[in-house]
Structures are given as C-alpha cells and as structure tokens.
C-alpha cells in the first residue's frame, strides 16, 4: 500500500530518533540559534546534535564540525547554512545516511536560482527526502518537536497546518496560541523541491493526532497526484485550502513571492470541489471552519435550529443561513409544545427561537436541553447577546456543563456578542472545546462548513452503493 | 428650513437642561435604578429628577410622586413604568410641558398591542416627541448623557449608532468599548412610534460631533421620508446600514421580533444605493467600514498601493482587492526607483510591494514615507505579519510617528497578523486613531468602503455640474 509506505517514508520528519542542526549558532537572534533553542526547549525527546565548523558547545550541547562527525545515526537534518554551502551539506547528509533534511535556507528557486535547487534534489534523489528549501521548519505536537525558528509556544490540537508562505505561517503560529486554535502539526513547505502538499496530506490522513488538514497554497506542481491523494484523504478527514493568487495580479505576486505558477483559478476551484476539498476565502474563515469541524461530530441531517436571547442577531443569523443555503427547520408542534412549557410567553418558539433578553442561563440551558433531545433538530446555532443583567460567562458554563452531564453528540456552534465579559465567555467556550465565535455571522459560517461536510459524506456514501 | 427646525425639535433628547426618570427605583438591578445610576454617574450636567409614587430619596436625589410635582421645567422624561401606566404618565408629561419622552417600557406594538401605542402617540401629537416605546434609551457623548440601562462605560467617538434591536444594541455598547469603536451617540429607537430613523439621520447630519451614522434596521415606515432625508444627509456624512430580514424566514423573524414589516429586500437595496447609503452585510463589516471612514480622509483617486512584509498576505489581499473591484496601481518607473533605493534586492517593488520578513520598522517607515509622498498613490493598505525577530508594536509606533511628524493626509488601512504582540500593535494603532484590523481581508474590505465613498462623492460632484 502506497499510503502506509509513504507514511513510513516521511515519519522521520515528525518522529525522528535524532536531529542534527547543521549551521547551529551561538548567537541569539540568528536562525541557527533560535531553531536549536526551540528544539531543545520544546520537550522533544530525541537526540539533538548541533553542527558547526567552529564547534565547541551551544546551549550545553556538544557541537560537531560536520554531520559526518556525529557519533551516532541521524534521522533528520535541519540545514541553516548559507545557500552556497547547502549542496555540500546535502552530500554530507547522504554520506551520513540521514533520512530527511529540512532546508531552512532561502535563495533558491523562489529568487530564480532554480539550477542550484535542482542539483540538490538530484543529489538527494532516492537517498533522502527534502522539505524546502526556504522554510521556517516543522512543528509536530505528537513528539513535542518544535523544529522551527518561530514562536516557542504553540498550542497543541488537532489540525495539521501546511503553509507555503513563511511570514504568514509564522504569524499564524502566534495566532493559534492567541486564538486557541490548537495544531497537531505545522509544516512550512517552502519551495516544495521534493516533499509536496500531496505527500503531507497522505501522511496526515493517517496521523491519529490529526483530525483536519489546513493548507495555505500559492502554487502547485503535480496537480494529478495532488488530486488523487486529496480525493482519497478527504474521505477520511476534512481538508480546507486557502488558495492564493486567485486574481491576475495576485497570481503575478505569488509568482514573484514563491516562484509559483498560480494557474487558472477556475481549474483549481473545480479540482478542489471534485476532490472534496473545502476552499476558504481567507484565514479567518479557514480557521473558523476548522474550529467547527474539530470540535463537533458531523451533523446527521440538515435540520438546523437557531436559539438566541437577542431578536436582532437571530434575524441576522437567519439571513446569513439562507444566503449560505442552510435550512432552518420548521419547529414541529410537539417540539413547540415542549419549548412553550419552559419559555416566556413573549418569546418565539418559531425558528430562530427567541428566548428574549430576559432569559437567564438556567432557561437557556433548558431550551438547549430540549433541542439536544429533539429528533427534529440535527444541529444548533446558539447566540448570546450580552445584556445588562446577566454575565455571559454563566451562559458559557451552562452549555459546557450541559454537554458534560448529558454527553450530547449534536453539532453546536455559538457566538457571544458583547464586550469584555463576552470575550471571556467566548474564551471559556473555546477552552471547553466548543466552536465559539465573537459574531453571529462567523457561527453561521462555521455551521455551513459542518453542513458541507455532512453533504460530502452523504454523497460519497450514496456513490458507494 | 426643515432641517434646522427638526434639529431644534429633537435637541432636548440629546442636550436636555433637565431630565425626569419616571419609574425610578431604589432596587439595584431594576431598570428604573440602573438607568438613574448611569445618568447620575455619566458626567451629565443637567438637572435630574427621579419620579416614583413612593417618593423618598434615590441615590441621594429627591424623588417626586409625579412628574407634575417636579418644581422646575423638565425637558426630557424617561418612562420606565409598567405598560398600563404609560398612557397616564404621557398625559402628565403633556401637562408638565415636557418636550420629549423616551418610553423604555415594552409590551406595545412589538407584541401586537398596537392600540395602546397609538393612543399614546395621539396624546403626544403636537405636544411632545416620543422615542420608543420598547427601547433601552439614549447615550450622547456631547453632553456625556448615558440615559440607558446598558453599560456604564461607553467609548466617546464620532459615530451615531441607531439600533432597532435592543439586545444587539446593548451588546454592541459593550463591544464598542472593547473594540475601541468610539460613538458620538447611541439611540435605541424601539418601535419608532414617533421619532424614526429619518428624524435621527436629519439630526445627526447636523451634529458636529458625528462624522458617520450607523443604523441597524429591521423594518421601516415612511420609506419616502427616509429616502429623501438620507439622500441629502449622505452628501454630508456617510451612512452605513445593516438591514436585517433579508431572507424570507429572517423577515418573518423580524416581524415577530419588533412587529416590523421587513419589506422586499431588493427594494431596500435599490433605495439605499440611490440614496448613497452603504449597506453592510453584518456587524463586523459595518463597524470596520465606519472605523476606516472615521479615521481617514476620503481618497483623492483610486490608485491603491499595498505594502507588506509577508508575501502570502500580500497575495491574499491582492485577490480580495480584485474581487472587490479595487484597483492596485501600476508602480511607475520613478516610484519604483525611489523604492529600490531603500528596499532589499530580494523584495518586490511591484504592487503589492513586498519588503520581506527581514524588514524592520525603520525600513517599513521609509517605504511608507515614499508612498505617502508619491503622487501616483492615492491610498495605502499596510500589512504586517508578526515575525520571529521584530516586535510588531515597533511597526505600529513607526507609522504613528510618521503621520504625526509629517501630517500625511492619505487614507491608510492596516492589518497586524499574529499573536499577542500583534494584538497589542493593533490596539496601539486604534488608540493612535488609525483604521487597524487583525486580518488583511478586513483591512482591504475597509479600503473598499473608503473607495466607495470616493466614488459616491465624485459621482455627485459630476451630477452637480
């Protein structure tokens, strides 16, 4: 099976027994120093060997003059030497029988220096695999390996994030911590001289830590391979792609940025659709979708209910649902009766269900309890407007304890709209592993992602029969 | 002139010499208490008279048994008594020659009780003006009057916010503080039994504190009046509207929420367009647009430049520009030469201008300086990805000091993408009165609002000739 073979063949990038940093530096601020520091401080359990011709010790580790001098086998080499030295280092790594190298160094095909990059690939062919060049490295939560020169702190989670943009990837590493979007892996894929998106999709589709795959892509080589592997991977795990270079000028910019040929955008869109890849418009949408997907089961149908304590947000959310093709269910007589028993007379038991601004957390939890139990409802969007009299954190806690007590398995996205207390409530929900957002629009858009996933799986199931 | 007449006729709602709270309460948590507390603590300089049949003192203020017992004239009455007492109170207010009342009390046309509401309007006709019923009150920064039962703290600024949804309005009062969106006024317009959107637009279009008007609307009575007044007001100040009830089910929900007839959405869209009103999709977009409009001059043309330290975000922003019909200017040879003198050789002087992740704040400021001075560029989108080596706050400070030193008058929107430090940078920019956002998409969308304003003003100018 090519799948497990490929997985084995890339495992040394994520779970190496030993790592050499070729070009390690004593000078704080230099990439060769930051990377070594991150790796040694991240909790990674493998052996670490700094390599630098000036040798000595760096951060307490014995430093070797060359990779070939390292006294034990090396699975993974991380290359941070200047561009003109990379060729020689790659040869040394082949000699040392290193399994894979991450070439951090830039100055290759992305600035037009294609020949040098091709020579290095040629040296490595059949001997070792290459990630890069022109990358900021790899983070993998499973081995607590932070082999990047990015932030020290990364929030562990369930999304494998593959990025072709270095700066964007680094910024988002920080962002994941701030926004509590946990990641199973971050791979700065760089110039994709060898290991490409398809290889990584194949790897992560079999990785038990990874529930979803998120890709920032500018260009693509090997479209057929990408399509075939993605098509099979999306059956197992959702893949969300941000494909930049949609516009003419954007494509030109992508070309001068990473040397990518962005290609015809409509072709990408069609291929993504066919392969079951969900294409997000931008970073916020992509992360919102992933959040909803990671924290929820796939809906069992399309009957959606909205519950709100603010009529206005209920209306806005309903508008957005219709615009996105989400179906608010008609509340059945039975369900309406159940709701009427607990709701204030001036509320609305129509969908969106408006429990009004007077509702407290106890009432809110009761209504959610009814909706969770109802067979008429497949998924729920819960909206909270901060009111003068009730702390939104109480609402958050009510939902969390309801799920913990009853173990409800029904998709829920929610929004907390308001000021500081609402932000705390929203963070509380994220920490409680719910898909929570600061606006109703984003809660709806995330439900759209879940519904899309439901539709994909239903269609594929039907096709199998 | 009807304009100044109407302004005079509503001024007592925002700048009253004296306010009576009819239904003031001693009990914290009750609306009649919260409202009095907010009013007395907000810094409002007018006289305040609590009214309650049980009398005594509340929060140190002498309380009167009836509005007619108050020993001096009363400009504004705020009514928080139960619905069945409002009719009598309105009669008393007429007797007392009160100029306007805000009826906080709910239970009128929004729950089908139209007759009572109409009787009250009849009592008031020609004698006093009514805001409401079913509102949370009025805040006005010019007189520091917080006559609401909402949050105590409101951030002063330059947008008049009119909301038909109470819960949403209250939530957004909190939000404005958290997100640093300052407001000149907040009016919870309620059932619009008398004072309507058009009256308020007319008032705020002449209010010197207000630079822009933001409306959350579910339904509209008197479409022609609204259209005529808006059309004239948008020539002076931008108006952004969030019109809910776009979808069929949303319109039904709006009807059961505020008793509004949402009307045919396409008719609204066409009328807004004709009147020069900018229609936002939701709250985030509306506030983003307003932020850009308040903090920037109107562009002098459509030649837009993007500058970024991250190639990827540059590409994404370019895609979004093209999708929104924003025109990235072709960098002229002269401008390119100026940029090349200061930029690293591996950066790109094409638009988007990519100064690369190695750029520091000094280089960033130099590039912006060139763009601010260039006649080829009418507006700028500045994007910052958080990198490992430079604190994003330095970038923020560099831009702020550049403007403060040179007093550049060119529209700029910017985005800080990253974690905690980027959030601080973004807040620093907001405090420095720049239009700043946490994502590139939002910075671009806000530039779209500025460009739309430019196009409107150009068209109207052409029509005048």
């Amino acid at each position: 099976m090519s799948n497990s073979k490929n997985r084995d063949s890339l495992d040394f990038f994520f779970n190496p027994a030993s790592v050499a940093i070729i070009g390690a530096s004593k000078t704080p601020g230099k990439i060769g120093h930051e990377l070594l520091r991150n790796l040694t401080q991240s909790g990674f359990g493998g052996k670490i060997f700094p390599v630098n011709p000036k040798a000595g010790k760096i951060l307490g580790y014995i430093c070797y003059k060359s990779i070939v001098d390292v006294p034990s086998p090396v699975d993974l080499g991380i290359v941070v030497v200047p561009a003109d030295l990379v060729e020689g280092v790659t040869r040394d790594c082949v000699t040392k029988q290193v399994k894979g190298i991450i070439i951090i160094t830039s100055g290759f095909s992305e600035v037009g220096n294609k020949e040098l990059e091709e020579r290095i690939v040629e040296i490595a062919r059949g001997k070792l695999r290459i990630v890069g060049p022109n990358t900021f490295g790899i983070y993998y939560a499973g081995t607590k390996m932070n082999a990047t020169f990015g932030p020290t702190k990364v929030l562990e989670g369930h999304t494998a994030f593959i990025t072709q943009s270095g700066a964007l990837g680094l910024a988002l590493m920080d962002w994941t911590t701030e926004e509590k979007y946990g990641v199973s892996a971050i791979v700065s894929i760089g110039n994709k001289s060898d290991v490409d998106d398809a290889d990584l999709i194949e790897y992560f589709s079999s990785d038990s830590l990874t529930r979803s795959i998120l890709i920032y892509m500018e260009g693509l080589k090997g479209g057929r391979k990408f399509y075939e592997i993605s098509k099979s991977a999306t059956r197992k795990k959702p893949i969300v792609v941000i494909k930049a270079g949609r516009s003419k000028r954007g494509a030109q910019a992508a070309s001068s940025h990473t040397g990518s040929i962005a290609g015809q955008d409509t072709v990408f869109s069609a291929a993504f659709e066919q392969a079951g890849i969900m294409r997000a418009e931008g970073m916020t949408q992509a992360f919102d979708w992933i959040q909803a997907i990671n924290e929820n089961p796939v809906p069992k149908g399309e009957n959606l209910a909205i519950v709100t304590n603010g009529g206005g947000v209920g209306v806005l959310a309903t508008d957005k649902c219709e615009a996105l093709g989400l179906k608010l269910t008609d509340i059945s007589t039975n369900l309406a009766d159940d709701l009427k028993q607990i709701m204030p007379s001036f509320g609305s038991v129509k969908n969106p269900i408006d429990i009004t601004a007077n509702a407290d957390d106890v009432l809110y939890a009761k209504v959610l309890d009814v909706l969770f139990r109802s067979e008429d409802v497949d998924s729920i969007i819960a909206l909270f407007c901060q009111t003068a009299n009730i702390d939104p954190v109480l609402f958050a806690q009510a939902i969390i304890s309801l799920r913990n007590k009853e173990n409800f398995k029904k998709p829920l996205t929610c929004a907390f709209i308001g000021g500081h207390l609402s932000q705390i409530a929203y963070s509380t929900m994220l920490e409680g592993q719910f898909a929570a957002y600061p606006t109703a629009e984003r809660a709806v858009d995330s439900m759209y992602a879940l519904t899309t996933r439901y539709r994909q799986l239903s269609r594929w199931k039907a096709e199998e029969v």
Side-chain angles (χ1 to χ4, degrees), chain A:
Chain A
M1 273 166 52
S2 90
N3 196 331
S4 59
K5 180 176 157 281
N6 193 287
R7 190 187 144 81
D8 292 346
S9 75
L10 291 187
D11 207 41
F12 43 82
F13 280 116
F14 304 98
N15 189 22
S18 53
V19 181
I21 298 184
I22 305 148
S25 167
K26 280 188 181 178
T27 315
K30 282 208 161 188
I31 287 174
H33 184 89
E34 301 299 309
L35 216 150
L36 179 62
R37 192 206 55 208
N38 275 352
L39 187 61
T40 57
Q41 292 181 357
S42 59
F44 172 65
K47 289 180 196 162
I48 299 171
F49 304 109
V51 174
N52 186 311
K54 290 173 198 140
K57 271 195 169 189
I58 306 179
L59 292 169
Y61 287 77
I62 296 169
C63 189
Y64 297 90
K65 292 201 172 181
S66 160
I67 179 85
V68 293
D69 299 335
V70 174
S72 49
V74 172
D75 281 350
L76 176 63
I78 303 174
V79 181
V80 285
V81 300
D84 55 345
L85 302 181
V86 173
E87 201 177 347
V89 164
T90 307
R91 271 188 235 286
D92 291 346
C93 286
V94 168
T95 308
K96 180 68 186 170
Q97 294 184 301
V98 171
K99 293 174 184 164
I101 59 176
I102 303 170
I103 306 177
I104 304 290
T105 314
S106 57
F108 295 87
S109 65
E110 86 279 9
V111 293
N113 199 352
K114 285 199 166 69
E115 295 73 23
L116 181 57
E117 189 169 304
E118 280 164 12
R119 283 207 304 277
I120 290 163
V121 171
E122 215 38 63
I123 292 164
R125 193 179 305 278
K127 312 278 177 37
L128 56 77
R129 301 297 304 268
I130 299 173
V131 167
N134 186 28
T135 101
F136 64 77
I138 290 178
Y139 164 83
Y140 183 60
T143 50
K144 297 190 185 299
M145 183 187 81
N146 184 352
T148 77
F149 60 86
T152 313
K153 232 176 96 188
V154 183
L155 186 69
E156 291 184 22
H158 302 286
T159 300
F161 177 36
I162 302 164
T163 175
Q164 194 174 356
S165 167
L168 189 60
L170 286 171
L172 290 172
M173 267 180 93
D174 269 312
W175 199 50
T176 55
T177 325
E178 185 72 10
E179 298 288 325
K180 300 194 176 63
Y181 290 123
V183 286
S184 54
I186 299 173
V187 181
S188 168
I189 198 168
N191 295 358
K192 312 186 196 181
S193 71
D194 173 24
V195 172
D196 60 14
D197 304 271
D199 294 328
L200 293 169
I201 288 170
E202 194 165 26
Y203 182 80
F204 290 120
S205 70
S206 304
D207 174 50
S208 60
L209 206 60
T210 298
R211 289 187 203 154
S212 56
I213 299 167
L214 172 58
I215 304 174
Y216 170 82
M217 180 191 289
E218 294 192 355
L220 189 63
K221 305 166 195 165
R224 173 56 56 182
K225 174 184 166 194
F226 176 84
Y227 174 74
E228 293 297 344
I229 289 178
S230 299
K231 195 173 173 182
S232 137
T234 53
R235 267 62 181 175
K236 294 197 269 178
K237 293 175 190 179
I239 302 178
V240 174
V241 167
I242 304 150
K243 169 68 182 67
R246 199 159 207 160
S247 62
K248 200 177 149 209
R249 191 183 283 270
Q252 286 164 354
S255 159
S256 76
H257 173 222
T258 50
S260 293
I261 308 303
Q264 189 105 40
D265 194 72
T266 47
V267 175
F268 276 103
S269 276
F272 290 157
E273 170 75 26
Q274 278 293 313
I277 291 172
M278 297 166 66
R279 182 173 186 173
E281 291 277 334
M283 301 311 307
T284 308
Q285 185 172 58
F287 278 91
D288 284 355
W289 284 1
I290 287 287
Q291 183 84 355
I293 286 167
N294 284 357
E295 305 297 10
N296 283 293
V298 176
K300 292 216 164 67
E302 298 212 15
N303 291 313
L304 171 64
I306 293 177
V307 56
T308 181
N309 71 334
V313 258
V315 179
L316 284 174
T318 303
D319 286 348
K320 176 107 188 174
C321 282
E322 283 208 15
L324 293 175
L326 300 181
K327 182 182 156 265
L328 268 72
T329 187
D330 293 316
I331 302 290
S332 66
T333 318
N334 280 348
L335 180 51
D337 287 346
D338 290 347
L339 289 169
K340 276 177 193 159
Q341 282 185 23
I342 49 173
M343 284 209 357
S345 60
F346 45 90
S348 169
V349 298
K350 282 179 193 158
N351 201 357
I353 299 158
D354 182 0
I355 64 170
T356 83
N358 298 303
D360 64 5
D361 51 309
V362 179
L363 174 59
Y364 211 110
K366 278 186 191 165
V367 171
L368 282 179
D369 186 76
V370 168
L371 295 177
F372 271 121
R373 288 176 200 283
S374 167
E375 289 187 358
D376 299 354
V377 174
D378 297 312
S379 49
I380 303 165
I381 297 174
L383 308 173
F384 306 77
C385 282
Q386 188 169 336
T387 58
N389 47 340
I390 299 159
D391 184 345
V393 178
L394 291 176
F395 284 102
Q397 287 163 345
I399 304 181
I400 293 171
S401 76
L402 184 68
R403 188 187 58 180
N404 290 348
K405 199 176 64 186
E406 301 283 357
N407 196 25
F408 288 122
K409 303 255 191 255
K410 208 174 260 188
L412 174 86
T413 64
C414 60
F416 287 83
I417 300 126
H420 188 62
L421 292 174
S422 295
Q423 295 222 337
I424 297 174
Y426 151 63
S427 293
T428 306
M429 290 297 281
L430 292 180
E431 278 159 18
Q433 304 203 300
F434 280 85
Y437 306 92
T439 69
E441 299 121 85
R442 288 171 62 183
V444 173
D445 191 49
S446 301
M447 185 54 78
Y448 167 78
L450 286 164
T451 306
T452 301
R453 189 71 188 147
Y454 160 76
R455 289 174 186 165
Q456 287 181 334
L457 294 174
S458 306
R459 195 172 63 234
W460 296 332
K461 207 171 170 182
E463 284 167 7
E464 275 171 20
V465 179

